[in-house]
Each structure stands twice: as C-alpha cells, then as structure tokens.
Amino acid sequence: MPKNPDIKKVMVIGSGPIVIGQAAEFDYAGAQACRALREEGVSVVLVNSNPATIMTDIEMADRVYIEPLSVPFLTKIIARERPDGLVPTLGGQTGLNLATELATRGILDDYNVKLLGTPLRAITRAEDRERFRKLMREIGEPVPESWIIEKDGELLDLSRQEGLPWPLIVRPAYTLGGTGGGVAHTPEELLEIGQRGMRLSPRHQVMVERCLVGWKEVEYEVMRDANDTCITICNMENFDPMGVHTGDSIVVAPSQTLSDKEYQMLRTASLKIIRALGIEGGCNVQLALDPKSFSYYIIEVNPRVSRSSALASKATGYPIARVAAKIAIGLHLDEIENKVTGKTLACFEPALDYCVVKIPRWPFDKFTSADRRITTQMKATGEVMAMDRTFESALMKAVRSLEIGAHSLRYKGASLWSDMQIEQLLTDPTDERLFAVAEAFRRGLMVEEIAQLSNIDPWFLVKIRNIVLMEKRLSENAALLDTDEAAGLLDEAKRLGFPDRTIADLTGKTELWVRVRRKELGIVPVYKIVDTCAAEFEAQTPYFYSSHDQESE
C-alpha cells in the first residue's frame, strides 16, 4: 500500500546525550530517518537535547527543537506543532521510554497523535519482562528459568530459596546497555545487584534468570512491515560467550561457527518472535545457543532500532533506519527501493561475501583505576568495525583502528604477564582478553586448553593461532625477504592482515623498506564492493573496502 495520506507531519524523538550504550549510532539512525520521511513528502519535527549531532542540523528536519527530553517539554512541543504521528523506535531506549510514557498518560490521544510503526502493545510486551516471558511460552519459544521481582521482599525471599541454579543474571526492565544488571554468584550479590537494578528500572522491575555461562550468543537483525512480510537483514555472532554484554563483546557478521541447521533454527525463531510481538520496523533478537547441542534460549528483544542495528546496517549496506521510517508511515517492504542497487527492493535479504568484525573501545586508558572486568553491564564508550575477506584480516584491521597503540595482536606488556595472569585473563573477561589469547598461543597452550578456560569457540581460536604462527614464520624467515622467495611469505602475511609496520618489527627491517619491497613484488591492496547482494546485481551506489586479494571488483 502507498504511504498513509493522513500522515503529513511526524515527530521524531532523538536519543539525547551521548551515554554508554546509546551514542552516535542513534544520530546515524535519526539522520537516516529524517531524510527518509522528507523523501516521502512528510514534514519532520525533530526533538533532541544534544546539539552536537548531525540530526539537529537545520537541514535535516523542517522544525528542530533542542530541548530537554522530558514529558512536559515534549507535551508543549506536541501542543504547538500538532504532529499527525510520532515515531518511537529511532531514538534508542530514551525515545522508546518517552513515547511509551506519552501514550500511557493519554497525551498522544489528547492531541490525536498516532504512534507510528511498532504499536504500544508490542513495545510493552517486548520491554516488560513478565509479559515477554509469558508471550515466549505461549508461542513455544524457550526462555531460561526466571523470576520477576518488583519488591525488595520478593528479592529477599528468592535469595533464601534452596536449589537455585547459580550463577544468576539480573536484567532490569526498560534500561539501556544492561544498566543496573549483573551476574550474582551468591545470595549477597543477588540482593545488592537486584536492589540496584530495581532502583534504576523505570518500572522498578528486574528479571532474575539462570545465567547461561559458556553458551554462544547470537543476534538476528530482523525487519517486518504491516503486511507481515519479514526478512532477516543480518545475523551476528559474539566472539565472547554468554556472560558478556553484547556491546562489550567482539562481534562477527555473518556468524562463522553456526551450522546451517543452527542458523535456520535461530532465524525461524527470530521471525516467529517479531510476528508474535507485532513489531512494524526493525527489531533485534538476542539468543543463546548451547555449543554442545541444538538447545537454545531467547534472551531478549529490542523492539526498536538498536546499537546493533547501526552495526548491521553498515556491515550489510542495508539502511535499516531509513526502511523502518518508511514502514512507520505505511509503506511495505516490497514498495521501498534499495538505494544501493537501484534495482532490488527492501524485501530482498542482504547477502555478505566478506567478514565484518566489531571490537569495542573501552576508556580504561583514561580511567586507569577502573575495574577492567566486562560483564552484563556495558562499559565500552565506542566501537570500531572492519571488513575483509577473512576473519583474521578483518580482526587485525579492527585492532589497528582501536588507537590503543597496538598494530597487531602483539600487545604492549603482554610478554610481562605471568602464566597465572594469562590464565586469569582467559577465565575472567577483560578488555585485554583477546591479546591474552594470542599470548597464550605464543607460550605453547593448545586450542583445547584455551577453549576450556575461556569458553571461546575453537574456530575463533584457530584463526588467532594462524596469526601467531605467521608472527613466528616472519621472525624465523626474515632473511627470505631479500630473496626471490619473499613474495609467497609477504603475500600470506598481508592476506592475514599484517601491516607493514608489524612485518618490519618482526623481521628487523624498516616499515618503508617493507612497503617498497612488497610493491616491487606486486603485493598491493585491491578494492571490494559492499552492495547488499554479493554482486548478484550491478550496484548504483556501493561502497568499498580494501583487501589483499586477487582483483578489484
């Protein structure tokens, strides 16, 4: 169907100040949405309290309000502008909570403002832990054993129960980035984390559930329209197992360690959930998968454009926020053009012929006395994303992008760690665990030993070992670089993502010498396309990434 002709003016709520778990990703999404709505001839009223954003540029919307994001201020703006609709799902958790409050207080009804896209019922069913758990059981999707707590007395009673499946994870309702949550190993920790979680939850509600430590964490980014057409845009797999917030985990797209049966099983579950919730637009589904069987559990659903949506959008080239905004005003997926190809429609699922690696950026270089352990409450203040043909080269690109002084997995100070420290770093996740894995391989640990200590999938460990083995080969064969046999070794190193600087350090050469030598041998990067369709159609506006491969696309 064409867009709803009754919708002539739409209000968009921004995400406000940059905080952990809600930063520039939502500026990216909001700016996309404003452009998409204006393309359809809709007047946009934007409200955001943060002037240091692209979305608050006067060219982005017809009316821009830089005001506090609170119900009283939003009510005044609604009374003045009289929008026909409000899009609740593009401003992160802040926008979602405010839109929910405006609807439940009757303010939207008073001014005849429609909640566009995902209906209020779907939002509350996804965000309210009790309703979500009940819905999952109704549709036959497994959820971990859990308890909904809303009072201190209930929490105390639970902590005294016999036979609890320790450790337990605390998940507050309607919060962002795992705020107030954590993993409790003892009744005392459960009381402390639970009380803090209820205090920080707008609904004074937490869910306490069995902690699936060691299970794989997988995410599906899915999209649905009012016609019940559903697609999966991207699936992503966490390098770190369950127990680490996905915002603090290294994330790989598409998934690398799932079998086709596992992939299809989790994809089917994700589509089933978005249909049951009735979400219209983008949605992020998080699942836990037992690496030893086909058992899985639904962890949670974000009924909005999330931090992961921005990653999936950039990884695939599929403009999630743009499409979600057009769905909100009544368009269907088969009516929205894919701007990248200029030929396909938004109902065409993206295909990836490359590997994407995201690594979080933590501020521990500035807060040196902070606890470096990473758990279910997000601590990262940013992230980097890299693309390449292989996991190893994408990982090495991402490490260099972190700007922490590391140009490869040779981390400053890692050689000074004792064997006991390395074992501790492998067991208890910190921002340094990736480098501890590499150092463990240098000291002779086997893949099986590291997997047992860290619960990281052996596939990822083998790839990191490949990088460490190449370090050794370069160190032992430095003399080869002056001979005719240099081409093979240098080409292998570059395909694994080794920068000239690291090759120079390992071989005793200078960075300039290595660069000149590889160019003499014809080892130069080529450029590959991100076009959403793996070259099935000729793209009109693709973007490119560099790779040490055979030919440019």
Side-chain angles (χ1 to χ4, degrees):
M1 61 178 282
K3 76 177 183 68
N4 186 339
D6 298 331
I7 305 298
K8 295 180 174 64
K9 184 187 280 192
V10 168
M11 184 170 169
V12 175
I13 303 174
S15 58
I18 291 176
V19 296
I20 289 175
Q22 189 167 275
E25 303 94 344
F26 294 99
D27 186 19
Y28 171 77
Q32 259 192 29
C34 289
R35 285 196 184 103
L37 292 169
R38 295 180 82 187
E39 275 177 17
E40 299 298 331
V42 175
S43 177
V44 177
V45 178
L46 176 71
V47 189
N48 199 356
S49 61
N50 184 1
T53 56
I54 301 298
M55 69 161 72
T56 48
D57 285 0
I58 55 172
E59 297 172 358
M60 278 292 166
D62 298 280
R63 298 282 284 178
V64 176
Y65 287 87
I66 300 175
E67 300 286 358
L69 293 178
S70 64
V71 171
F73 273 96
L74 291 176
T75 304
K76 288 178 182 178
I77 294 167
I78 289 170
R80 180 177 177 178
E81 292 290 341
R82 297 298 176 112
D84 301 306
L86 169 65
V87 180
T89 55
L90 298 168
Q93 195 67 44
T94 300
L96 198 70
N97 290 352
L98 285 166
T100 303
E101 199 170 347
L102 287 166
T104 52
R105 287 193 189 184
I107 294 164
L108 297 186
D109 288 338
D110 291 345
Y111 291 96
N112 199 25
V113 180
K114 293 178 182 176
L115 201 60
L116 301 177
T118 299
L120 180 64
R121 182 168 174 266
I123 293 170
T124 54
R125 289 177 91 177
E127 290 286 319
D128 186 286
R129 300 293 182 179
E130 178 64 54
R131 291 187 185 184
F132 180 71
R133 185 175 66 169
K134 184 181 177 184
L135 177 64
M136 291 303 100
R137 287 172 178 163
E138 284 174 5
I139 65 173
E141 288 299 331
V143 289
E145 183 181 0
S146 58
W147 300 264
I148 303 298
I149 304 293
E150 294 181 341
K151 297 176 182 175
D152 287 352
E154 294 172 359
L155 187 66
L156 184 62
D157 291 343
L158 177 63
S159 69
R160 290 171 174 168
Q161 274 190 31
E162 296 290 331
L164 288 175
W166 300 99
L168 296 170
I169 191 166
V170 179
R171 298 184 187 277
Y174 287 90
T175 63
L176 174 75
T179 299
V183 178
H185 297 84
T186 64
E188 293 76 21
E189 287 182 359
L190 177 60
L191 287 171
E192 180 190 343
I193 297 168
Q195 287 168 354
R196 182 182 69 216
M198 282 191 285
R199 191 171 65 250
L200 293 171
S201 167
R203 296 295 172 90
H204 204 262
Q205 182 195 77
V206 297
M207 181 166 72
V208 179
E209 68 181 15
R210 173 189 166 198
C211 185
L212 305 167
V213 173
W215 286 40
K216 293 182 186 181
E217 185 164 359
V218 182
E219 293 180 74
Y220 279 74
E221 202 66 39
V222 288
M223 185 76 72
R224 177 181 176 271
D225 64 19
N227 204 30
D228 202 31
T229 303
C230 296
I231 64 166
T232 56
I233 293 154
C234 182
N235 90 311
M236 296 170 278
E237 177 179 10
N238 287 11
F239 173 89
D240 298 287
M242 288 290 294
V244 174
H245 190 282
T246 186
D248 274 349
S249 177
I250 296 170
V251 175
V252 185
S255 59
Q256 302 293 310
T257 72
L258 301 188
S259 66
D260 184 59
K261 181 178 178 180
E262 289 169 330
Y263 173 85
Q264 297 297 344
M265 176 178 71
L266 300 183
R267 178 183 183 275
T268 300
S270 300
L271 296 179
K272 186 177 176 183
I273 290 165
I274 194 174
R275 284 192 165 114
L277 286 167
I279 289 167
E280 293 176 23
C283 168
N284 173 260
V285 183
Q286 296 172 20
L287 311 101
L289 176 68
D290 183 1
K292 298 183 176 68
S293 71
F294 289 105
S295 297
Y296 70 92
Y297 285 114
I298 310 302
I299 302 304
E300 65 179 357
V301 171
N302 287 315
R304 56 179 170 82
V305 173
S306 69
R307 177 187 42 74
S308 296
S309 304
L311 173 65
S313 192
K314 291 174 184 175
T316 60
Y318 188 102
I320 292 171
R322 176 179 180 271
V323 175
K326 297 209 175 200
I327 287 173
I329 56 172
L331 289 169
H332 293 163
L333 286 166
D334 59 2
E335 298 169 329
I336 303 168
E337 183 189 32
N338 181 333
K339 287 286 188 182
V340 176
T341 63
K343 296 181 180 68
T344 58
L345 299 171
C347 57
F348 189 95
E349 290 194 355
L352 280 67
D353 55 358
Y354 48 85
C355 183
V356 178
V357 173
K358 177 218 88 175
I359 302 182
R361 176 65 161 90
W362 293 275
F364 299 131
D365 53 338
K366 296 181 178 69
F367 302 99
T368 53
S369 60
D371 182 0
R372 299 183 85 116
R373 288 176 297 175
I374 50 177
T375 57
T376 60
Q377 186 167 338
M378 188 173 166
K379 294 181 179 179
T381 52
E383 58 192 35
V384 300
M385 186 191 86
M387 298 178 175
D388 214 319
R389 305 299 275 185
T390 65
F391 171 76
E392 294 98 326
S393 50
L395 179 71
M396 292 282 271
K397 271 187 187 177
V399 168
R400 293 200 298 280
S401 303
L402 287 171
E403 296 183 353
I404 56 173
H407 300 278
S408 66
L409 298 185
R410 300 171 73 235
Y411 188 59
K412 185 180 179 182
S415 59
L416 303 176
W417 290 336
S418 67
D419 291 348
M420 191 175 292
Q421 280 178 297
I422 288 175
E423 188 172 322
Q424 189 70 38
L425 286 166
L426 293 174
T427 307
D428 298 326
T430 71
D431 61 308
E432 298 175 318
R433 178 151 78 164
L434 173 64
F435 303 103
V437 170
E439 186 61 27
F441 279 124
R442 291 186 196 103
R443 299 192 190 187
L445 268 70
M446 306 293 288
V447 168
E448 295 75 16
E449 292 175 286
I450 298 174
Q452 189 172 5
L453 288 167
S454 65
N455 287 317
I456 296 170
D457 191 279
W459 187 92
F460 292 120
L461 298 178
V462 168
K463 298 299 181 183
I464 293 172
R465 186 182 62 182
N466 290 346
I467 294 170
V468 173
L469 290 174
M470 178 52 73
E471 290 176 1
K472 187 178 180 183
R473 284 180 62 194
L474 286 167
S475 297
E476 292 175 350
N477 296 283
L480 276 181
L481 297 189
D482 295 305
T483 70
D484 295 337
E485 297 176 43
L489 183 62
L490 273 178
D491 187 52
E492 279 187 65
K494 296 304 289 184
R495 284 174 183 261
L496 285 173
F498 278 74
D500 294 343
R501 180 168 177 170
T502 300
I503 295 171
D505 291 343
L506 290 165
T507 57
K509 307 289 187 182
T510 66
E511 185 178 357
L512 180 60
W513 188 94
V514 172
R515 184 171 295 117
V516 170
R517 180 62 175 144
R518 68 169 173 80
K519 286 184 176 179
E520 285 175 359
L521 296 167
I523 302 170
V524 292
V526 296
Y527 293 88
K528 302 290 185 179
I529 289 177
V530 176
D531 59 2
T532 77
C533 62
E536 189 172 340
F537 300 93
E538 185 179 353
Q540 301 300 311
T541 57
Y543 51 95
F544 296 82
Y545 63 93
S546 66
S547 177
H548 280 272
D549 202 62
Q550 296 289 325
E551 59 184 6
S552 293
E553 292 180 346

